[in-house]
């Protein structure tokens, strides 16, 4: 089996309450989005990588640095909605796969994207994401989203709580942390956006619960990659 055509889209917005202008912050003389783009381009499974933004300052900088960019609406509630609009502007085929690449990971490993896309060799895969094994301290941290999955590595639930709960203190079941990279077949991405937030999603503040609540399976790929995003200016040293 072979992969369908795969596209990478990097949503980048200027207005961030914790880190305004984050995509433009310079790292080694180049804006953060440039580093993410170059890393994503290193994934051989992606036929094209494009930046998607709603801000003319980011658009101008992308053109200056020769990064392909599309302008999207400014009223999107999430990056996933922005990715869909960009995919539609690009005329991506319905059976293609679209990767939502977080724009705040300048040290992203291209091999992680390759692993994320591998499940789409099976025609029934609609959505995939990543997870890695956590140590006990990480598992107890509510800022670290956890995922549990079945024997075929389909996600059962995501939570900020330490799941699965060990009723027996001697239980050795490992905990897995979710890594917020997603790949969608375009039809699944379109359905995801059309469904809107589910009650579980609203309760946990986790949009990855939306597909599960609506019967859309998510394939979980295990990795050793540590996702290090730059959510705040203080995170830049670790993220680079």
């Amino acid at each position: 089996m072979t992969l369908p055509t795969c596209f990478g889209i990097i949503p980048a917005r200027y207005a961030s309450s914790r880190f305004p202008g984050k995509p433009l912050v310079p790292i080694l003389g180049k804006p953060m989005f440039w580093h993410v783009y170059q890393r994503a381009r290193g994934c051989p499974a992606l036929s094209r990588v494009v930046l998607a933004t709603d801000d003319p300052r980011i658009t101008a900088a992308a053109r200056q640095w020769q990064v392909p960019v599309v302008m999207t609406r400014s009223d999107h509630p999430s990056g996933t909605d922005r990715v869909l609009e960009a995919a539609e502007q690009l005329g991506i085929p319905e059976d293609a796969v679209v990767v939502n690449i977080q724009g705040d990971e300048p040290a992203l490993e291209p091999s992680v994207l390759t692993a994320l896309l591998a499940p789409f060799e099976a025609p029934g895969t609609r959505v995939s994401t990543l997870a890695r094994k956590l140590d006990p301290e990480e598992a107890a941290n509510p800022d670290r989203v956890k995922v549990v999955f079945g024997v075929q590595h389909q996600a059962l639930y995501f939570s900020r709580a330490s799941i699965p709960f060990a009723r027996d203190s001697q239980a050795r079941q490992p905990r897995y942390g979710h890594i917020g990279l997603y790949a969608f077949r375009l039809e699944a991405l379109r359905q995801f956006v059309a469904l809107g937030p589910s009650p579980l999603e609203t309760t946990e503040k986790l949009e990855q619960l939306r597909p599960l609540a609506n019967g859309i399976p998510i394939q979980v790929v295990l990795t050793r990659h540590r996702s290090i995003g730059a959510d705040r200016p203080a995170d830049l040293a670790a993220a680079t």
Side-chain angles (χ1 to χ4, degrees):
M1 291 183 286
T2 59
L3 284 172
T5 306
C6 300
F7 297 82
I9 297 179
I10 306 168
R13 69 189 186 101
Y14 189 94
S16 169
S17 58
R18 290 181 293 184
F19 199 166
K22 178 167 56 175
L24 296 175
V25 67
I27 299 172
L28 301 176
K30 297 180 175 67
M32 184 185 296
F33 71 75
W34 182 91
H35 293 274
V36 179
Y37 170 74
Q38 293 297 333
R39 291 282 185 159
R41 280 188 61 199
C43 172
L46 292 174
S47 63
R48 190 177 181 187
V49 180
V50 177
L51 193 71
T53 187
D54 63 346
D55 192 280
R57 289 164 290 189
I58 296 175
T59 298
R63 290 172 177 159
Q64 176 186 348
W65 289 101
Q66 299 182 327
V67 172
V69 61
V70 294
M71 278 289 289
T72 61
R73 302 196 319 268
S74 61
D75 59 350
H76 286 304
S78 74
T80 309
D81 297 77
R82 192 176 312 285
V83 165
L84 175 60
E85 185 191 349
E88 291 175 336
Q89 284 194 43
L90 294 168
I92 289 175
E94 197 73 12
D95 61 347
V97 175
V98 180
V99 184
N100 181 350
I101 302 172
Q102 302 301 317
D104 59 1
E105 287 201 36
L108 177 69
E109 289 293 336
S111 61
V112 171
L113 298 176
T114 302
L116 178 70
L117 289 164
F120 289 92
E121 289 187 352
T125 301
R126 301 183 68 200
V127 185
S128 73
T129 194
L130 298 164
R132 69 171 180 86
K133 190 178 292 186
L134 298 176
D135 60 40
E137 183 178 349
E138 288 179 299
N141 183 352
D143 290 335
R144 171 64 69 181
V145 177
K146 273 70 70 175
V147 58
V148 291
F149 47 86
V151 294
Q152 295 183 333
H153 283 227
Q154 287 191 349
L156 300 174
Y157 196 67
F158 297 86
S159 181
R160 300 183 187 278
S162 183
I163 56 173
F165 173 75
R167 182 176 177 182
D168 181 347
S169 61
Q170 302 303 311
R172 299 295 183 186
Q173 177 68 30
R175 271 63 169 187
Y176 291 91
H178 178 229
I179 295 173
L181 284 164
Y182 303 91
F184 300 83
R185 289 197 193 271
L186 181 57
E187 56 82 17
L189 176 60
R190 186 174 286 115
Q191 184 179 1
F192 177 99
V193 171
L195 285 166
S198 70
L200 285 175
E201 174 185 352
T202 302
T203 299
E204 292 255 18
K205 300 295 187 289
L206 297 174
E207 69 175 3
Q208 58 267 50
L209 290 170
R210 188 186 309 182
L212 298 188
N214 290 279
I216 301 172
I218 301 176
Q219 197 70 26
V220 178
V221 178
L222 297 185
T223 179
R224 294 183 179 180
H225 172 69
R226 286 180 173 266
S227 174
I228 304 175
D231 290 328
R232 304 171 179 84
D235 296 333
L236 277 177
T240 56

